Amino acid sequence: IPISSLTLLNHNHQNSIDKMYVEQIKRLDNYIDQILYYVRSENAEKDYIITEKNLQDIIKNVALKNKDDLLENNVKLEVDVNNKKVLTDSKWLEFILNQIINNSIKYKRNNVDSYIKIIADEDKDKIFLSIYDNGIGIPENDLSRVFEKSFTGENGRMTAKSTGMGLYIVKKLCNKLGHKVYIESKQGEYTKITIIFSKNDFYKLKD
């Protein structure tokens, strides 16, 4: 709550507060989120409720949370989810998407028109939510390890902002919720993360 209050004060007084302080509070807010959801993932069954949720509403909340960062970094957010609904826990999915969006902003490529595209598609049994960015991408040697705990890789070593925990927690929460998450990337071109939801709440997706 105190961090949320500081964030709101920052937002309301952007012209009078040094950007360095704003950035540090944002980082603190994200780290606290990571700690909270890491702890919750250890006792997940006590904390989440699977219900049918509208993807548009969840993404709207994530976009609002990241609005200032997106504008400050000149990253365009494009959303096309066609009012699709998924079986999930909205609070947990918001955290998952927030971690992915944070990474896309953090690892954007310079000297290009940066964008993040969020697209939903479906087949008979599943809904696919893809988050695509045209950032710096992930080296091929690191790609298979990005969901490992504390793994920062080549990109993470270039910045002090990386903890190596964000995608690890994303993977862990998806597993708890019965979702699947996959990543593909090409260094210097793009990264695409896809979350797969079952349309049947009695059916947990298998690898």
Side-chain angles (χ1 to χ4, degrees), residues 34 37-38 41-42 44 92-93 95-97 99-100 103 143-150 164-183 193-196 204-207:
Q34 287 186 351
Y37 278 89
Y38 175 74
S41 70
E42 296 297 306
W92 284 37
L93 185 57
F95 171 83
I96 288 167
L97 293 178
Q99 294 301 303
I100 296 171
N103 277 355
L143 198 55
S144 64
R145 300 187 60 194
V146 294
F147 292 121
E148 292 181 10
K149 186 176 182 180
S150 301
M165 292 298 291
L167 289 180
Y168 166 75
I169 301 171
V170 163
K171 175 73 169 178
K172 192 168 186 179
L173 295 185
C174 282
N175 288 344
K176 294 284 186 177
L177 292 168
H179 309 330
K180 290 298 174 185
V181 57
Y182 298 97
I183 188 167
I193 295 180
T194 301
I195 302 170
I196 307 176
K204 290 212 169 187
L205 293 170
K206 306 296 183 182
D207 286 321

Side-chain angles (χ1 to χ4, degrees), residues 68-154:
D68 291 341
D69 270 354
L70 290 165
L71 290 172
E72 185 178 327
N73 288 278
N74 296 312
V75 178
K76 183 179 180 182
L77 180 63
E78 303 175 14
V79 179
D80 182 12
V81 296
N82 296 317
N83 288 317
K84 285 185 171 55
K85 296 180 179 180
V86 294
L87 293 163
T88 192
D89 180 283
S90 58
K91 182 174 62 175
W92 284 37
L93 185 57
E94 281 183 26
F95 171 83
I96 288 167
L97 293 178
N98 188 60
Q99 294 301 303
I100 296 171
I101 295 296
N102 279 345
N103 277 355
S104 293
I105 297 172
K106 186 192 307 180
Y107 298 114
K108 76 183 188 73
R109 197 157 22 120
N110 295 325
N111 304 316
V112 300
D113 293 329
S114 297
Y115 60 80
I116 301 169
K117 294 182 179 180
I118 303 179
I119 300 169
D121 203 354
E122 64 183 313
D123 64 15
K124 180 181 176 182
D125 301 312
K126 298 180 286 293
I127 292 177
F128 305 85
L129 181 66
S130 296
I131 304 94
Y132 179 99
D133 69 62
N134 65 334
I136 63 175
I138 300 169
E140 185 176 355
N141 290 339
D142 289 349
L143 198 55
S144 64
R145 300 187 60 194
V146 294
F147 292 121
E148 292 181 10
K149 186 176 182 180
S150 301
F151 180 75
T152 57
E154 182 178 319

